[in-house]
Amino acid sequence: MDEALPGRTPENGDSLVKVKEEDPTWEQTWGSWESSRQAQELCRLRFRQFCYREVTGPREALSRLQELCRRWLRPETHSKEQIVELLVLEQFLTILPEELQARVREQHPESGEQAVAVLEDLEKVTGDGGQQASVYTQGQDMYPLVTEYQGASLECQSLQLLPRVTTLKCEPPELCQGNPQEVSAEEVVTKDGLFNAKKETSQEVEHGAEAPGIPDRNCVPQPPCTSVHTERTVAHLNTLKDRHPGDLWARMHISSLEYAAGDMTRKGRKKDKARVSELLQGLAFSGDSDVEEDNKLETHHAQKKLKMSNVPEKNWAKRDIKPSFPSWSALDSGLLNLKSEKLNPVELFELFFDDEIFNMIVNETNNYASQKNVNLEVTVQEIRCVFGILLLSGFVRRPRRGMYWEISDADQNLVRDAIRRDRFELIFSYLHFADNSHLDQKDKFTKLRPLIKQMNRNFLLYAPLEEYYYFDKTMCECFDSDQFLNGKPIRIGYKIWCGTTTQGYLVWFEPYQEESTVMVDKDLDLGLGGNLVMHFADVLLERGQYPYHLCFDSFFTSVKLVSALKKKGVKATGTIRENRTEKCPLMSTEHMRKMKKGYFDFRVEENEEIILCRWHGDDIISLCSNAVGIEPASELSCSADEDDSHQIAQPSIVKLYDECREGVAKMDQIISKYRVRIRSKKWYSILVSYIIDVAMNNAWQLHRACNASTSLDLLDFRRYVAHFYLEHNANLSD
């Protein structure tokens, strides 16, 4: 199929470029070139340009690369030295200047020595006339169009590309009057999408045509290839773009130019792909792309300035805060009801692991077993026996869980009488909490999501109604996890966000994952930590619009977060990092270290009534709050050694934060004493054990609140629940 590109008529001196396309099959093309140098070069190009998307799988990709490499390097005919020579030759040609690469590749050198000889010959030939190159530049991309001339003769030649690669040849009319040239390029499209061109050049001379290299009498020396030449070539290429839209045009007329220059590096290919993308969007060979890029940059800066201008400038004044929150006066009627009911430890534990959760576990476990073609038919009675053994493992430890059925003592007799070992192992291996056919692939913890939601609902429902809560992160120990948290007793495991009371009752928790499932207002732009705190505040406000007071550390705190919580009617206090102080003119940390302990500096943002305070205690600490300030300041005993002690001033904001920040640490301390030790091979079993331990902690917290004078310690409380499940749910038929 021949298509003539529209251009100026020969009378105007412009050449006419014709492109001829053929579409032979891969087998026909390869059969005719198998023993030629072009075939070897073709395989080298295909090997370097190979794309994974061209094949259907990794095995086919590897096989195709091995075949292309074999046909290029031909290990069956070449020795190791010859193969090394080919690789060195390829790299040598790659590092040459672009105008020399094409000239050397035109001679098809088979070794580095031959390439060097070609270069030396070129230096001798062009020593008098030299070379000049006309380069069209777009941004940082260079498209070379090389011409040669010697003495008074001038012959405009096309840049010879790699063998069998598309060549575009265009000769300006100013060189030789009345000698128009017509160039036809026969393009071969291979099966794998590699485009090769066989150059066929013919000259039609009307009057006194001369042989190449012999000057024409009517020929006047002109500068080699001006920008008009470049613009005409651009017009031809844009015409090709219209007739061959999409990636086809890009590969035929752009990629070949880039690879012909020898740029086979990965960086070069990435640049080429970016260039092709621009060309396909209509930005090819014009200065529009630079203009649009500048416009995008200016627009980005303008939007950023507009966003910054919308934020009102902070107005800091050195005075104490004047909070406008109502005082706390809520009555915890839920706790009063629990006290009147006088619940035993099992009933308190089943406030959280209620009948609804036990039935859900039974249904999902049986469903999962049936999907595995196992007739399990587990019952709630057996699940409670399993929970009893798990609770027992926290205070009766054995190297292997099978030993709970081997050793004869009071606790082991309970286990053996409650459930057979093989039955326990079978149930424990199929323990499930969600339907595998309805999993959310975006949620990393989707297999536990029903359990997490139900536990959070129950934790909040029976949580003590208090004014102060602490939000922080903790760890669930798991050595298979890649998450690390410094400054915690457990540093490796699953990171868990949690909000607790000051005594360690867990109100809400959520395992950490990269794409958080917590939904908040994105317009606030608070970051991950701020979004989590806002969600926890929303959880607390579900119980009623009370003036809760949240405390958190510097990972979460920002002036914007404290302001957003104030708009919700929630008090907030937390340590804050220096780069989040919104240019508050506090005394610098370096300067404050030179002051005596007890010194502090503070400022109040007058528009939003938010205070920032920096205090010199055991270390320099900066805090931010919307509810508590400096007064009333207290005295704190500080001693450099046992004999020397003195009193230092402590602002009210520092004292309140110190009293509230131990909530999560207390919960971790309680859980760590009698943690469940039995685990299955499933990755989430460690989180299930953690949830059981947290439920036991919360039940014990309620037990102490309801029975302040006659409460059981944690060990007796846990033993009571474990023994009850093993004694009252024994499968006597076994």
Side-chain angles (χ1 to χ4, degrees), residues 578-608:
E578 191 167 357
N579 61 348
R580 299 181 183 177
T581 56
E582 302 285 352
K583 299 181 180 180
C584 181
L586 294 174
M587 180 182 290
S588 67
T589 303
E590 293 75 12
H591 190 191
M592 186 166 288
R593 291 186 188 279
K594 301 176 183 178
M595 311 298 290
K596 293 182 179 181
K597 286 188 176 182
Y599 185 86
F600 57 88
D601 190 16
F602 58 95
R603 296 289 190 281
V604 171
E605 208 288 312
E606 295 192 327
N607 296 327
E608 298 179 341

Side-chain angles (χ1 to χ4, degrees), residues 171-342:
E171 299 186 358
E174 294 81 6
L175 299 183
C176 299
Q177 297 285 342
N179 290 341
Q181 299 179 347
E182 179 176 348
V183 180
S184 65
E186 179 180 357
E187 297 190 0
V188 179
V189 184
T190 67
K191 180 179 179 181
D192 286 338
L194 182 65
F195 297 84
N196 308 290
K198 180 178 180 181
K199 189 181 69 174
E200 296 177 356
T201 306
S202 62
Q203 295 183 348
E204 299 176 2
V205 181
E206 296 180 0
H207 302 286
E210 300 292 339
I214 301 176
D216 193 344
R217 294 176 183 178
N218 298 327
C219 183
V220 180
Q222 298 290 340
C225 292
T226 63
S227 61
V228 177
H229 179 189
T230 301
E231 294 174 358
R232 188 168 61 255
T233 304
V234 170
H236 291 325
L237 289 179
N238 285 333
T239 305
L240 279 178
K241 172 185 175 182
D242 296 335
R243 298 197 178 190
H244 303 278
D247 191 48
L248 175 65
W249 175 86
R251 292 195 210 172
M252 289 172 58
H253 304 287
I254 302 303
S255 299
S256 57
L257 288 174
E258 180 68 20
Y259 294 132
D263 190 358
M264 300 298 296
T265 61
R266 179 174 296 180
K267 181 179 179 181
R269 293 188 66 178
K270 288 183 177 179
K271 289 174 60 179
D272 182 68
K273 290 179 180 179
R275 187 181 306 116
V276 169
S277 177
E278 291 182 356
L279 294 173
L280 297 179
Q281 295 174 6
L283 303 178
F285 303 104
S286 69
D288 296 342
S289 60
D290 293 337
V291 175
E292 292 187 9
E293 202 63 38
D294 294 339
N295 292 338
K296 288 181 180 180
L297 209 55
E298 292 178 1
T299 304
H300 174 72
H301 289 315
Q303 291 177 350
K304 188 174 181 180
K305 289 181 180 179
L306 181 62
K307 185 177 180 180
M308 295 296 294
S309 63
N310 292 334
V311 179
E313 185 177 354
K314 303 298 182 184
N315 184 16
W316 299 100
K318 189 163 184 177
R319 62 173 178 83
D320 202 358
I321 191 174
K322 300 175 182 177
S324 58
F325 291 97
S327 59
W328 181 265
S329 59
L331 179 64
D332 191 356
S333 59
L335 185 60
L336 294 177
N337 292 334
L338 290 177
K339 288 182 178 180
S340 62
E341 293 178 6
K342 297 181 179 180

Side-chain angles (χ1 to χ4, degrees), residues 454-471:
Q454 191 67 18
M455 295 304 295
N456 275 331
R457 185 181 68 84
N458 291 343
F459 287 165
L460 177 65
L461 182 61
Y462 298 103
L465 186 60
E466 299 181 0
E467 179 180 3
Y468 298 100
Y469 296 87
Y470 189 71
F471 193 87

Side-chain angles (χ1 to χ4, degrees), residues 401-665:
R401 63 172 176 244
M403 297 179 66
Y404 286 99
W405 286 266
E406 295 174 1
I407 301 176
S408 179
D409 59 25
D411 291 320
Q412 267 58 38
N413 289 336
L414 281 175
V415 173
R416 287 189 296 180
D417 293 340
I419 189 172
R420 291 180 180 273
R421 182 185 61 186
D422 293 343
R423 181 63 177 173
F424 172 84
E425 295 287 355
L426 185 62
I427 295 174
F428 198 52
S429 63
Y430 285 99
L431 201 61
H432 228 64
F433 305 90
D435 188 353
N436 282 353
S437 61
H438 298 86
L439 297 180
D440 183 5
Q441 299 301 327
K442 296 182 180 180
D443 186 2
K444 181 180 178 181
F445 300 95
T446 183
K447 286 182 176 290
L448 290 178
R449 185 56 57 188
L451 179 63
I452 292 174
K453 287 183 177 180
Q454 191 67 18
M455 295 304 295
N456 275 331
R457 185 181 68 84
N458 291 343
F459 287 165
L460 177 65
L461 182 61
Y462 298 103
L465 186 60
E466 299 181 0
E467 179 180 3
Y468 298 100
Y469 296 87
Y470 189 71
F471 193 87
D472 200 0
K473 46 193 175 295
T474 186
M475 293 294 284
C476 174
E477 184 179 28
C478 179
F479 295 103
D480 294 334
S481 173
D482 57 354
Q483 299 178 20
F484 178 82
L485 185 60
N486 196 11
K488 294 290 183 180
I490 300 175
R491 300 189 178 186
I492 300 176
Y494 293 109
K495 186 187 297 184
I496 298 177
W497 311 110
C498 52
T500 68
T501 65
T502 56
Q503 297 301 316
Y505 180 99
L506 182 65
V507 180
W508 178 86
F509 75 102
E510 173 65 29
Y512 165 80
Q513 52 185 321
E514 293 180 359
E515 296 184 3
S516 178
T517 58
V518 174
M519 302 300 295
V520 293
D521 188 359
K522 295 182 179 180
D523 295 336
L524 295 176
D525 191 22
L526 299 175
L528 173 62
N531 292 339
L532 290 166
V533 174
M534 291 294 290
H535 182 78
F536 181 59
D538 292 337
V539 169
L540 291 177
L541 291 174
E542 291 178 6
R543 303 188 66 184
Q545 296 294 324
Y546 301 112
Y548 300 105
H549 197 142
L550 302 185
C551 297
F552 31 82
D553 66 11
S554 60
F555 177 84
F556 309 94
T557 311
S558 66
V559 175
K560 190 184 298 184
L561 171 63
V562 174
S563 175
L565 288 172
K566 182 178 181 181
K567 294 176 182 178
K568 282 182 174 288
V570 177
K571 305 175 186 177
T573 302
T575 56
I576 189 170
R577 298 174 181 175
E578 191 167 357
N579 61 348
R580 299 181 183 177
T581 56
E582 302 285 352
K583 299 181 180 180
C584 181
L586 294 174
M587 180 182 290
S588 67
T589 303
E590 293 75 12
H591 190 191
M592 186 166 288
R593 291 186 188 279
K594 301 176 183 178
M595 311 298 290
K596 293 182 179 181
K597 286 188 176 182
Y599 185 86
F600 57 88
D601 190 16
F602 58 95
R603 296 289 190 281
V604 171
E605 208 288 312
E606 295 192 327
N607 296 327
E608 298 179 341
E609 202 66 23
I610 295 175
I611 188 171
L612 264 70
C613 175
R614 182 165 291 163
W615 178 67
H616 186 190
D618 293 336
D619 197 2
I620 306 298
I621 181 174
S622 301
L623 298 104
C624 178
S625 179
N626 59 18
V628 59
I630 305 301
E631 299 295 336
S634 59
E635 296 292 327
L636 179 67
S637 178
C638 178
S639 59
D641 51 55
E642 296 181 357
D643 298 332
D644 183 18
S645 63
H646 58 281
Q647 300 292 320
I648 63 173
Q650 185 184 43
S652 178
I653 184 175
V654 179
K655 181 180 180 181
L656 182 139
Y657 180 78
D658 284 342
E659 293 174 350
C660 296
R661 67 174 182 174
E662 300 298 329
V664 175

